């Protein structure tokens, strides 16, 4: 039987029976092809959410094992004595994403072998190693990289699947480098002026502050306002002899054996061939002496990661700031775990966690004054996840997105016709799973926009109500703005940690949060004419305030609080 691993049309053939590795092998636009084909789809292994939790713990221990091993190896390769934390900051995000991607494809291909079919598949030859983390994240969501990854899993994992060479793969573009523009020129000028003076680094690209407050914060802290340019690793000739090595852990675990065989060949060039040049360039962009680094995204560019790792080696304190709404209420989050492990301080937006390096702070976003517009549209925020899983969190993974889209359509279908005319969909910039085509097939005339066509706050100003379909930052923003919001998502996919469940249950009891799309639609039908009246009711406002007391602290003098924090940390050290 023909095994289809990706959505590359060259891998499939409707003249023979096919076994599809996952839902990602099909696209909505190819319905005619699939309707005329005979195929089976392997059930996705992470549909079992308890298995997914076990795998999360397993992959955490796997990550810890290999970051320790790579610390020893890379220190020896580069004749340095860096800490494990140093390599966690520089290499950790890539290693995390790569291990999760490799494990997911390994589990899917194992299930294919358990089907008891004689399998043959068409996959490309060769090796492709993205030059930067940004480029890796781009390509790990595409067909060609995943086809190469599947080939490695089959060959190094000794799976009984025959591989035939695929012809020239469908073209995939590399991430384009940004050309210099006036803003970039300003960044370059500002950071060079700041280098001799600043002893605190606030990374603008990872900050939630506006440029105005960003500049004011620097001035309050006695710093030169500096916007440090992003610097990403680049592609280079892969020539390091270490790439040919087996890591040699000699584990009996088949997945560890797979990692040992292929990890060295896949390591990004910025930690092998171009390590010294990347490090040199990164350090040239930032101040030579630094007490604190405010950091709000653990998978930032190579420039800030190399700088932060070297600064921490020299005694600087890394202060991570919560940058979204999902991780801190999720049942588990791989990104949050990594972020905690590299930080001296982790600032929450309000949650008081009395353990580790957590510090209760305030919401670090600029929040304008926005009021509901009674005759405005109803704004519905939609999202979609990539076809190929590469980060394990207690959220929707890969083909599970199709069930989410089905529920979103079900919600829209149960809204009364007069209300449907008021709906305006707000799509994510990436059209994963052909979400637009699937919804437009049902509602061809529905109003819509994308997140890049208009800023969120501008859209809210024109709207009477926001409807959120996922647990993320927009929900928290609406709570802080006291802007009317309805929420609905499937709690089987969007899992909440046990400590947060009482607060989400209270939101559900107040009619803010729904887990049934039809029930949410019925509620919308009853309040759409005057959602503000419902929103300002005692029960709704009490549940909102209780949630905010737990997870969100808003301070009108945020910049002064940052100043107090730096003084407090200075006094401690």
């Amino acid at each position: 039987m023909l095994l289809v691993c990706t959505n590359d049309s060259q891998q499939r053939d409707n003249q023979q029976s096919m076994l599809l590795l996952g839902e990602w092998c099909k696209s909505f636009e190819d319905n005619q092809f699939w309707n005329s084909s005979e195929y089976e789809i392997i059930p996705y292994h992470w549909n079992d959410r308890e298995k997914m939790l076990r795998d999360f713990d397993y992959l955490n221990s796997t990550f810890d094992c290999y970051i320790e091993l790579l610390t020893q190896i890379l220190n020896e390769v580069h004749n340095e004595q860096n800490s494990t934390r140093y390599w966690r900051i520089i290499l950790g995000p890539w290693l995390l994403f790569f291990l999760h991607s490799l494990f997911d494809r390994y589990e899917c291909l194992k299930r294919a072998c358990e089907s008891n079919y004689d399998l043959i598949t068409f996959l490309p030859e060769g090796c492709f190693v993205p030059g930067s983390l940004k480029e890796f994240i781009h390509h790990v969501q595409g067909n060609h990289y995943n086809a190469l990854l599947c080939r490695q899993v089959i060959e190094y994992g000794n799976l009984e699947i025959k591989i035939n060479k695929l012809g020239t793969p469908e073209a995939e573009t590399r991430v384009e480098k940004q050309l210099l523009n006036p803003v970039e020129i300003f960044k370059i000028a500002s950071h060079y002026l700041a280098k001799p003076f600043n002893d605190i680094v606030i990374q603008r690209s990872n900050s939630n502050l506006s440029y105005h407050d960003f500049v004011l914060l620097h001035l309050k802290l006695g710093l030169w306002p500096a916007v440090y340019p992003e610097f990403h690793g680049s592609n280079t000739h892969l020539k390091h002899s270490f790439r040919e090595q087996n890591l040699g852990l000699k584990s009996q675990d088949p997945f560890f054996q797979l990692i040992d065989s292929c990890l060295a060949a896949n390591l990004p060039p910025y930690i092998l061939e171009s390590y010294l040049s990347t490090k040199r360039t990164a350090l040239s962009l930032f101040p030579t002496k630094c007490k604190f680094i405010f950091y709000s995204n653990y998978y930032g560019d190579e420039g800030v990661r190399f700088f932060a790792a070297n600064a921490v080696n020299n005694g600087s304190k890394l202060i991570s700031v919560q940058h979204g709404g999902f991780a801190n209420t999720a049942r588990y989050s791989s990104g949050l775990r990594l972020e905690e492990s590299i930080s001296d301080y982790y600032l929450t937006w309000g949650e008081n966690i009395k353990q580790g390096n957590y510090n209760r702070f305030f919401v670090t976003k600029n929040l304008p004054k926005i009021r509901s517009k009674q005759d405005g549209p109803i704004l519905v925020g939609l999202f979609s996840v990539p076809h190929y899983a590469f980060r394990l969190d207690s959220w929707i993974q890969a083909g599970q997105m199709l069930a989410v889209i089905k529920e979103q359509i079900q919600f829209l279908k149960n809204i009364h016709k007069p209300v449907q005319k008021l709906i305006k969909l707000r799509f994510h910039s990436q059209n994963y799973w052909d979400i637009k085509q699937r919804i437009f097939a049902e509602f061809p005339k529905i109003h819509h926009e994308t997140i890049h066509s208009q800023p969120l706050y501008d859209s809210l100003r024109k709207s009477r109500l926001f409807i959120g379909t996922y647990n993320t930052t927009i929900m928290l923003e609406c709570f802080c703005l006291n802007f009317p919001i309805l929420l609905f998502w499937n709690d089987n996919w969007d899992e909440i940690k046990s400590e947060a469940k009482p607060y989400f249950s209270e939101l559900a009891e107040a009619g803010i949060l729904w887990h049934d799309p039809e029930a949410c639609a019925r509620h919308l039908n009853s309040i759409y004419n005057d959602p503000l009246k419902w929103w300002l009711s005692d029960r709704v406002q009490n549940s909102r305030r209780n949630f905010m007391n737990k997870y969100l602290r808003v301070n009108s003098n945020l910049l002064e609080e940052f100043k107090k924090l730096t003084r407090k940390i200075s006094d401690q050290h």
Side-chain angles (χ1 to χ4, degrees):
M1 178 176 277
L2 179 62
L3 175 65
V4 181
C5 295
T6 75
N7 190 29
D8 187 339
S9 60
Q10 296 181 83
Q11 292 186 16
R12 62 198 191 206
D13 181 1
N14 62 359
Q15 300 303 309
Q16 54 182 308
S17 298
M18 292 177 285
L19 182 64
L20 276 56
L21 200 60
E23 291 283 357
W24 54 83
C25 297
K26 298 167 56 183
S27 69
F28 184 73
E29 293 180 337
D30 291 335
N31 268 348
Q32 187 174 354
F33 173 87
W34 294 109
N35 289 338
S36 63
S37 303
E38 182 181 331
Y39 64 89
E40 299 175 30
I41 302 177
I42 299 168
Y44 192 44
H45 65 106
W46 278 335
N47 286 346
D48 180 344
R49 302 300 280 193
E50 292 309 310
K51 176 187 184 299
M52 191 166 152
L53 176 59
R54 293 193 301 272
D55 291 346
F56 174 77
D57 293 334
Y58 171 76
L59 287 168
N60 284 340
S61 62
T62 303
F63 174 90
D64 292 343
C65 174
Y66 278 94
I67 198 68
E68 291 287 349
L69 177 62
L70 286 168
T71 295
Q72 299 172 26
I73 292 171
L74 293 171
N75 280 341
E76 184 177 335
V77 165
H78 298 300
N79 194 27
E80 295 183 345
Q81 296 297 318
N82 295 311
S83 64
T84 302
R85 185 183 177 197
Y86 174 93
W87 291 109
R88 275 180 184 265
I89 295 170
I90 291 175
L91 184 60
W94 176 86
L95 182 63
L96 181 80
F97 297 156
F98 179 77
L99 290 178
H100 289 195
S101 303
L102 188 70
F103 182 81
D104 177 65
R105 312 316 180 259
Y106 174 65
E107 288 291 298
C108 291
L109 287 161
K110 273 202 317 179
R111 289 202 167 198
C113 291
E114 292 166 1
S115 65
N116 295 320
Y117 293 119
D118 291 327
L119 296 174
I120 183 171
T121 190
F122 289 85
L123 295 170
E125 292 181 331
C127 180
F128 173 64
V129 178
S132 67
L133 180 62
K134 181 179 181 180
E135 192 171 0
F136 172 81
I137 292 172
H138 171 77
H139 285 285
V140 79
Q141 300 175 46
N143 292 329
H144 182 56
Y145 185 89
N146 279 283
L148 292 172
L149 199 58
C150 286
R151 186 179 192 108
Q152 292 183 69
V153 170
I154 293 168
E155 291 180 341
Y156 293 124
N158 299 313
L159 301 183
E160 293 185 2
I161 301 172
K162 183 180 178 181
I163 301 176
N164 280 355
K165 181 181 177 182
L166 186 68
T168 304
E170 294 179 348
E172 287 195 21
T173 57
R174 286 189 178 273
V175 177
E176 294 183 6
K177 292 188 176 180
Q178 298 294 316
L179 299 176
L180 285 180
N181 55 44
V183 173
E184 291 299 316
I185 294 171
F186 167 74
K187 289 180 182 180
I188 293 171
S190 72
H191 89 265
Y192 273 118
L193 289 169
K195 277 190 69 173
F197 306 108
N198 287 4
D199 59 359
I200 298 175
V201 168
I202 306 168
Q203 185 66 0
R204 173 67 183 89
S205 62
N206 298 329
S207 170
N208 289 316
L209 297 175
S210 68
Y211 272 106
H212 176 266
D213 281 359
F214 183 75
V215 170
L216 286 181
L217 177 58
H218 277 78
L219 297 177
K220 270 188 174 291
L221 298 176
L223 305 173
W224 183 276
V227 183
Y228 301 95
E230 290 188 12
F231 170 65
H232 298 278
S234 58
N235 295 284
T236 186
H237 183 56
L238 305 179
K239 57 185 178 182
H240 204 287
S241 59
F242 175 66
R243 292 192 180 278
E244 306 298 324
Q245 295 185 25
N246 184 304
L247 297 189
L249 271 183
K250 297 180 180 179
S251 170
Q252 297 301 308
D253 184 325
F255 182 59
F256 274 56
Q257 293 171 4
L258 171 62
I259 300 170
D260 284 354
S261 299
C262 70
L263 184 60
N266 285 279
L267 287 171
Y270 58 77
I271 60 112
L272 283 177
E273 291 86 358
S274 58
Y275 171 74
L276 291 177
S277 61
T278 303
K279 180 178 179 179
R280 186 165 52 248
T281 302
L283 296 185
S284 72
L285 300 174
F286 292 88
T288 51
K289 294 183 179 180
C290 181
K291 293 191 296 187
F292 311 126
I293 306 163
F294 282 96
Y295 195 55
S296 184
N297 193 331
Y298 68 95
Y299 55 91
D301 59 282
E302 274 71 59
V304 71
R305 295 205 316 279
F306 269 80
F307 164 70
N310 279 273
V312 164
N313 260 6
N314 293 321
S316 298
K317 300 303 174 185
L318 185 59
I319 305 168
S320 291
V321 184
Q322 179 180 338
H323 53 87
F326 164 74
N328 292 70
T329 56
R331 188 181 183 190
Y332 49 88
S333 167
S334 56
L336 181 60
R337 181 180 185 270
L338 177 59
E339 208 161 21
E340 292 167 353
S341 72
I342 65 174
S343 305
D344 293 289
Y345 299 87
Y346 182 87
L347 308 183
T348 73
W349 282 3
E351 186 176 12
N352 191 17
I353 303 174
K354 296 180 180 179
Q355 65 182 49
N357 54 7
Y358 283 98
N359 282 256
R360 191 182 191 199
F361 197 58
F362 301 92
V363 176
T364 56
K365 287 184 76 73
N366 293 104
L367 299 167
K369 292 183 179 180
I370 297 175
R371 297 188 65 181
S372 170
K373 187 177 181 182
Q374 189 162 350
D375 60 349
I378 298 167
L379 191 64
V380 181
L382 301 177
F383 73 103
S384 57
V385 300
H387 293 83
Y388 304 98
F390 68 94
R391 188 177 77 182
L392 185 53
D393 299 316
S394 60
W395 208 35
I396 300 96
Q397 298 288 338
Q400 295 165 356
M401 187 64 210
L402 292 177
V404 173
I405 296 173
K406 185 177 179 180
E407 290 186 344
Q408 291 171 348
I409 291 173
Q410 188 180 1
F411 166 73
L412 293 170
K413 283 184 173 179
N414 282 275
I415 297 172
H416 293 161
K417 293 296 181 184
V419 188
Q420 282 186 6
K421 293 178 181 179
L422 297 172
I423 294 292
K424 186 174 188 180
L425 304 180
R426 184 175 171 88
F427 289 102
H428 193 271
S429 56
Q430 300 290 340
N431 189 36
Y432 298 123
W433 299 99
D434 304 313
I435 183 172
K436 290 182 182 179
Q437 292 88 330
R438 293 176 191 273
I439 290 179
F440 292 159
E442 301 285 347
F443 306 95
K445 296 182 179 180
I446 199 163
H447 301 293
H448 63 279
E449 66 181 30
T450 65
I451 61 172
H452 291 315
S453 62
Q454 187 165 221
L456 172 64
Y457 294 154
D458 288 350
S459 292
L460 286 179
R461 283 189 180 94
K462 301 172 185 177
S463 305
R464 68 176 72 187
L465 174 70
F466 182 80
I467 298 177
T469 58
Y470 53 115
N471 174 24
T472 189
T473 312
I474 300 176
M475 175 185 80
L476 305 186
E477 290 174 288
C478 285
F479 282 0
C480 292
L481 294 167
N482 204 8
F483 190 92
I485 181 172
L486 276 180
L487 300 164
F488 84 86
W489 60 69
N490 189 323
D491 54 353
N492 291 322
W493 302 130
D494 210 332
E495 298 177 86
I496 303 299
K497 64 183 182 182
S498 57
E499 307 94 293
K501 285 183 177 179
Y503 298 92
F504 281 88
S505 294
E506 189 175 358
L507 295 178
E509 290 167 4
I512 298 173
L513 173 62
W514 301 81
H515 299 305
D516 180 343
E518 293 185 19
C520 185
R522 288 194 296 270
H523 184 59
L524 174 61
N525 291 334
S526 68
I527 68 165
Y528 82 95
N529 199 41
D530 190 2
L532 200 57
K533 181 181 178 181
W534 160 77
W535 180 253
L536 294 177
S537 65
D538 289 344
R539 189 177 189 187
V540 170
Q541 286 295 302
N542 286 339
S543 66
R544 167 187 160 268
R545 278 191 289 267
N546 289 340
F547 190 95
M548 290 187 65
N549 288 339
K550 175 67 176 177
Y551 293 107
L552 299 166
R553 288 207 301 171
V554 179
N555 192 306
S556 59
N557 202 356
L558 181 63
L559 303 186
E560 190 62 34
E561 293 298 332
F562 267 114
K563 186 176 180 179
K564 290 179 184 177
L565 178 71
T566 57
R567 285 177 179 170
K568 176 184 173 183
I569 296 174
S570 291
D571 291 343
Q572 291 175 351
H573 300 281

